[in-house]
Amino acid sequence: MSSTKIFLKSSDDKTFEIDETAARASETLKNIIDGGCLDGVIPLPNVSSNILPKVIEYCKKHGGDNGSSKKIANGGVDKDKEILPDYDEEEDKREKVRVDELKKWEEEYMDFDQQVLYDLMLAANYLHIKGLLDLTVEKAASMIRGRTPDQIRENFNINSDFTPEEEEEMILIEDEWDDEWAFD
Amino acid sequence: MSLSKLKLDLSLNGDIISNMPPNIMETILSRLPIKEAVRTCILSKKWRYNWITIPELIFDFTLRKAMRNRNDDNVVKFIDDVLSLHRGPICKFELSGNLCIQDTGYIDKWILCLSRNDIQEFILCLQPLLRDYELPSCFYSCELLTHLHLSYCTLQRPPLFSSFNFLKSLLLYKVEFVGFTYENLVSRCPILERLKIEGLASYADFIIYAPKLKSLVVNGFFEVTQNICLKNTPLLECVSLNLHCCGLNSKRLNHREGENSRLINVFGCLDGVEKLAVRGNFLKFFVVDFVPTKLPNTFYHMKSLELQICFNDVLMVATALCLIRSAPNLQELKIDAIIHTKIQPQFPEIGDGPEFSLNQLRNVKINSFGGWRRQLEFVEFLLSITPVLEKMSIYSHKDPTIAEGYDPMHGEMMLEVLMQFPRVSPKAKIEYFEAGRLVEFGK
């Protein structure tokens, strides 16, 4: 079990420590480590000290278990099970407990304000942490799904900058979507 | 949970999401049902064309539901408009939901569009009515495909040099072939790893030559006079053949000198296989041929084996035993032990003594058990060759059409008979179920 420490420097020059195994949850960090360009501290000019600890918390939870987090991303369906039923019920039960535990952790982890959501999304994108990007993007998508345009604008503080005439026109188009599908 | 919290600081932060990098925006929109993703165009000017670059376009059964006017023509028009406005690569395209598409010219046009936009994952599930619909030749220009799933359509002969060099996963459901065969198609997919064929109705030889194939599932019908052959498949790990042989009564084939036995044609190259399932009456396919005691090759890696055996057929049992004997490291065995009639032919010697045993077998499950003598012999035989067996679960199945005039043993009596069989494994536990319920003494 390797427990080499890696040091990350945030955009505002604060240094944070992370285990190498955890850091490998990030493709970007993984490439830096494997590339042998590790020169003491890795500077992360796009991630601030407000958000970096949150990112590290995620990596700690998910570092070194890329295989199992993939399972969750697939909706818990192991592709091979489509082919032959698995005999090992015990293994299935253990897996279920693990997935449930992880879901609960994710729920608690994701309890933050909207600014953190954006920062985390950007950090996950920059550091290529697929699981974290999925999680944050899904949260944003859930704020759009099944909502009216006004609700969406309210959720994200989007100002409709269409002129009243344009807006009228857009609404007309929306109405037509289900009839003739007149796009412009 | 935190939606209210998320809204709290709106006034402080303003509209940040609209300025997210395009790839994040696309990922967010890709997670929405296509209709909702397109609808974000009315949020603001910035959002107007956000959706047109989303890399995944999924038109499934939820789409029709999302339309106020649930008319299939409108859905078709919607898909057509989305594709004509879309810009940039389309990594994934799915068309399913049992849509009634009157004018298949639309599908031709969509496939042409996909073939020009780097399609990688293509799922086309048409209505059964469109089974004769022939995919246009531009389909073969989708050279970047990694995943292909087709349902109810017809494939015509591909152009001479076209191939799917990146295709890893291929699923064909009731797909017809005109002028070529599965063998031709698969040979054009050099790195294919997963192949699933549902609704095979083949009256031609079925030959699979796939050096990278890891999993193979074939369900359907097969003419017994035809040949099945798995060649050069060293990486196959999972194989499931659920095939019903046709034409068993009309012709009786004899093994010809100098030809490989059918068992060897199908199983002779499966050295790496870990899971094997042979269902339907497919074991019959081998019965018309010479059945060896054991295959020349050994399934050293096989952990799980599932077989459907008809216990009326001596040779089918012999074929099953041949497969079992060739898998010395088997850990799990599942048998569907069918009996069709009361007539039970004389079995050959089932056991081959103490020189053969399954030293890794831990779990055995037997379905369709009716307490027939042949089935009991088989159970007794398995208990005598499995030194580390932990559990044998037997599920009884009483078929009223067979049981006429026969008074089968059941309940505790049956359990008693099963318990009396000598077991070479000290740990072996026998569980006997009737109508799904565990039978126990004194209960």
Side-chain angles (χ1 to χ4, degrees):
Chain A
M1 190 68 196
S2 148
S3 62
T4 317
K5 300 284 183 208
I6 306 272
F7 295 94
L8 306 173
K9 195 162 77 181
S10 68
S11 58
D12 47 344
D13 278 340
K14 289 189 182 146
T15 307
F16 295 85
E17 191 187 273
I18 182 173
D19 281 346
E20 190 193 309
T21 41
R24 284 181 177 275
S26 151
E27 276 299 308
T28 310
L29 294 179
K30 186 174 162 277
N31 288 341
I32 295 175
I33 297 165
D34 291 343
C37 315
L38 203 53
D39 187 21
V41 182
I42 303 175
L44 301 173
N46 291 337
V47 189
S48 78
S49 63
N50 289 334
I51 208 71
L52 195 49
K54 192 85 183 157
V55 175
I56 291 173
E57 188 190 342
Y58 182 88
C59 291
K60 272 187 183 159
K61 188 78 187 168
H62 291 265
D65 70 349
N66 290 334
S68 51
S69 57
K70 201 164 56 189
K71 249 186 199 175
I72 296 158
N74 289 340
V77 178
D78 185 351
K79 280 196 171 174
D80 277 341
K81 281 189 190 151
E82 291 166 27
I83 290 173
L84 292 176
D86 216 313
Y87 282 87
D88 202 340
E89 288 163 20
E90 291 298 313
E91 176 64 31
D92 262 13
K93 271 184 211 152
R94 278 198 297 275
E95 180 66 17
K96 200 182 169 296
V97 169
R98 234 178 48 78
V99 169
D100 286 350
E101 190 263 328
L102 204 57
K103 285 230 168 90
K104 194 162 164 275
W105 179 87
E106 278 176 357
E107 211 167 285
E108 280 163 20
Y109 175 83
M110 291 298 285
D111 193 13
F112 43 60
D113 66 37
Q114 199 164 345
Q115 184 60 51
V116 175
L117 176 66
Y118 296 131
D119 289 344
L120 214 45
M121 221 186 267
L122 289 167
N125 191 44
Y126 170 65
L127 291 168
H128 285 103
I129 308 172
K130 194 178 174 303
L132 184 57
L133 187 63
D134 281 348
L135 216 61
T136 47
V137 155
E138 177 50 39
K139 180 129 191 168
S142 74
M143 293 163 70
I144 303 177
R145 204 176 285 131
R147 288 164 212 278
T148 65
D150 279 339
Q151 284 170 335
I152 300 168
R153 287 190 194 112
E154 198 198 318
N155 278 345
F156 295 108
N157 207 21
I158 300 168
N159 273 323
S160 171
D161 47 3
F162 291 117
T163 63
E165 292 78 26
E166 280 172 328
E167 188 139 10
E168 183 84 355
E169 193 190 324
M170 293 299 288
I171 288 165
L172 272 177
I173 291 171
E174 201 208 351
D175 282 344
E176 283 176 32
W177 275 357
D178 287 300
D179 304 322
E180 287 181 21
W181 271 95
F183 275 100
D184 48 331
Chain B
M1 173 191 65
S2 49
L3 201 58
S4 51
K5 205 170 170 184
L6 285 172
K7 283 180 190 168
L8 266 178
D9 48 355
L10 287 181
S11 51
L12 293 169
N13 296 312
D15 175 10
I16 305 175
I17 195 161
S18 300
N19 298 308
M20 281 280 151
N23 74 314
I24 292 187
M25 208 58 150
E26 284 163 10
T27 323
I28 294 173
L29 291 173
S30 288
R31 298 209 156 217
L32 299 171
I34 185 78
K35 180 112 190 307
E36 290 192 46
V38 174
R39 207 173 55 156
T40 58
C41 74
I42 65 167
L43 292 176
S44 74
K45 280 183 182 163
K46 251 196 173 130
W47 281 78
R48 190 156 189 183
Y49 298 109
N50 267 341
W51 72 269
I52 65 166
T53 51
I54 53 175
E56 298 188 359
L57 298 174
I58 294 165
F59 305 99
D60 59 11
F61 66 96
T62 59
L63 178 59
R64 192 195 284 116
K65 275 195 209 155
M67 306 288 277
R68 233 171 298 160
N69 178 352
R70 296 178 183 183
N71 177 325
D72 280 3
D73 288 343
N74 279 345
V75 181
V76 169
K77 184 76 170 57
F78 173 76
I79 298 170
D80 198 53
D81 282 341
V82 166
L83 273 175
S84 58
L85 285 165
H86 190 274
R87 292 291 170 269
I90 302 170
C91 300
K92 179 174 177 177
F93 179 91
E94 174 175 341
L95 175 64
S96 56
N98 206 19
L99 272 184
C100 172
I101 303 172
Q102 311 238 342
D103 179 0
T104 56
Y106 277 115
I107 314 174
D108 288 350
K109 192 174 136 197
W110 300 339
I111 294 175
L112 181 64
C113 171
L114 298 177
S115 70
R116 291 171 172 172
N117 284 291
D118 305 338
I119 183 80
Q120 292 166 20
E121 214 174 310
F122 183 32
I123 299 165
L124 181 68
C125 297
L126 298 174
Q127 259 195 334
L129 279 173
L130 290 178
R131 198 165 176 170
D132 294 334
Y133 166 68
E134 281 188 12
L135 261 55
S137 57
C138 62
F139 162 70
Y140 291 105
S141 319
C142 302
E143 286 173 340
L144 299 179
L145 279 179
T146 58
H147 176 97
L148 175 63
H149 173 176
L150 299 173
S151 280
Y152 292 114
C153 58
T154 298
L155 284 174
Q156 24 169 337
R157 199 181 175 80
L160 201 54
F161 295 110
S162 70
S163 57
F164 296 116
N165 285 328
F166 302 96
L167 196 66
K168 286 195 168 173
S169 155
L170 175 61
L171 200 165
L172 302 171
Y173 185 89
K174 306 222 173 194
V175 173
E176 308 262 351
F177 285 71
V178 173
F180 76 123
T181 61
Y182 287 100
E183 182 185 4
N184 298 141
L185 183 65
V186 171
S187 69
R188 286 157 187 264
C189 312
I191 62 161
L192 193 66
E193 289 178 4
R194 305 166 63 81
L195 174 61
K196 187 167 178 177
I197 297 169
E198 294 270 359
L200 178 86
S202 186
Y203 298 99
D205 288 352
F206 183 80
I207 293 158
I208 296 295
Y209 179 94
K212 302 283 185 200
L213 201 63
K214 287 184 182 160
S215 119
L216 173 69
V217 177
V218 187
N219 298 333
F221 291 88
F222 197 79
E223 185 72 29
V224 75
T225 51
Q226 301 302 333
N227 195 13
I228 294 192
C229 192
L230 303 177
K231 283 195 295 192
N232 190 11
T233 50
L235 301 183
L236 260 181
E237 290 167 2
C238 273
V239 179
S240 168
L241 305 169
N242 184 358
L243 289 167
H244 190 83
C245 281
C246 312
L248 282 165
N249 298 327
S250 57
K251 282 194 189 84
R252 193 92 190 145
L253 286 180
N254 291 314
H255 180 67
R256 274 170 283 183
E257 278 297 317
E259 240 180 47
N260 265 349
S261 119
R262 291 184 153 200
L263 270 166
I264 292 165
N265 276 341
V266 178
F267 300 111
C269 287
L270 300 187
D271 290 344
V273 80
E274 290 173 15
K275 287 181 168 188
L276 174 66
V278 182
R279 285 173 281 205
N281 70 350
F282 189 49
L283 283 180
K284 279 252 186 208
F285 175 75
F286 306 101
V287 164
V288 295
D289 195 359
F290 162 72
V291 178
T293 326
K294 190 191 160 299
L295 291 172
N297 56 319
T298 305
F299 303 131
Y300 286 111
H301 301 281
M302 194 187 289
K303 292 192 189 122
S304 156
L305 178 63
E306 182 174 343
L307 298 169
Q308 186 171 325
I309 310 170
C310 174
F311 272 80
N312 297 119
D313 191 324
V314 180
L315 286 169
M316 212 162 160
V317 178
T319 312
L321 285 171
C322 167
L323 291 177
I324 293 172
R325 276 192 202 99
S326 306
N329 298 323
L330 207 58
Q331 293 177 9
E332 283 151 340
L333 177 66
K334 192 173 167 186
I335 302 285
D336 206 4
I338 291 173
I339 291 231
H340 283 311
T341 61
K342 275 205 298 182
I343 309 147
Q344 293 181 62
Q346 196 59 49
F347 261 24
E349 270 302 298
I350 212 173
D352 31 4
E355 70 270 21
F356 165 67
S357 64
L358 293 167
N359 294 330
Q360 306 286 325
L361 193 64
R362 287 178 170 79
N363 275 302
V364 175
K365 188 174 173 184
I366 298 179
N367 279 328
S368 312
F369 183 79
W372 300 88
R373 192 153 60 89
R374 298 304 170 210
Q375 294 173 329
L376 285 168
E377 279 172 14
F378 189 75
V379 168
E380 188 178 9
F381 167 66
L382 283 179
L383 287 171
S384 72
I385 58 161
T386 47
V388 297
L389 185 73
E390 286 167 11
K391 193 162 91 176
M392 180 182 279
S393 314
I394 300 172
Y395 291 81
S396 130
H397 164 78
K398 294 278 185 297
D399 186 340
T401 59
I402 295 170
E404 198 183 323
Y406 169 72
D407 186 21
M409 248 186 299
H410 53 82
E412 288 183 26
M413 260 171 77
M414 187 73 257
L415 183 62
E416 205 176 329
V417 171
L418 291 168
M419 298 303 257
Q420 276 168 5
F421 288 139
R423 302 168 220 171
V424 289
S425 164
K427 282 192 291 180
K429 209 169 97 185
I430 295 179
E431 288 181 346
Y432 175 60
F433 296 85
E434 273 180 10
R437 283 221 301 276
L438 184 68
V439 178
E440 286 169 287
F441 289 121
K443 285 199 179 171

